[in-house]
Every structure is written in structure tokens, then in C-alpha cells.
Amino acid sequence: MIQQLEQTDHKLKLCVFDRNVLPGSCVWTITSELIEKRCKRMVVVISDEYLDSDACDFQTKFALSLCPGKSLSW
């Protein structure tokens, strides 16, 4: 899925945790900084793993908190 999304005409740049996050800091700090400083949009792929993940819950809520009046696209 990553390869398909990155190789579209939309020129998407994905932040993939295992690929783009360097070890050595608090995961929550790194994640929030990446979302706040580098993300223009957030794509959420709903899966069983997503629904069970505290990290995914945090990331989604944090991203939504940055622009509380923004509408969601479903």
C-alpha cells in the first residue's frame, strides 16, 4: 500500500514510522512533531490494528486538535 500511495500523480510523501522515525527520543514527542511540522494531511487506514492501537489513537486525536474547525472527509 505504501508503494502504491507514494507512486501516484499526487506525489504523496508518507511518514512511515519504521522507515522515517529515528530512535532515541520519546515516541510521542517525535510523532507529534512530525504531524505538526511536516503533515499537511493525514490519511487514516482503518483496520483492526488501527482500532487496537494507542499510538494511532493519539496520532489521530493530535492531528485533529491542530485544526479543530476543519471538516473531515470520509
Side-chain angles (χ1 to χ4, degrees):
M1 178 180 263
I2 293 168
Q3 187 176 20
Q4 289 175 338
L5 288 171
E6 289 183 328
Q7 294 179 354
T8 65
D9 292 335
H10 300 292
K11 300 178 184 175
L12 298 175
K13 295 178 183 176
L14 303 181
C15 178
V16 181
F17 194 82
D18 294 339
R19 179 183 72 183
N20 299 111
V21 176
L22 298 174
S25 254
C26 173
V27 173
W28 304 110
T29 302
I30 294 169
T31 302
S32 59
E33 286 178 1
L34 287 171
I35 292 170
E36 186 172 12
K37 296 178 181 175
R38 295 189 185 180
C39 293
K40 292 180 184 178
R41 293 177 180 86
M42 182 173 189
V43 177
V44 176
V45 179
I46 307 290
S47 66
D48 289 337
E49 290 83 6
Y50 170 85
L51 295 173
D52 291 335
S53 172
D54 290 335
C56 290
D57 184 56
F58 168 78
Q59 293 165 3
T60 303
K61 288 177 180 173
F62 181 79
L64 288 171
S65 75
L66 295 175
C67 48
K70 188 77 172 173
S71 64
L72 301 176
S73 299
W74 299 100

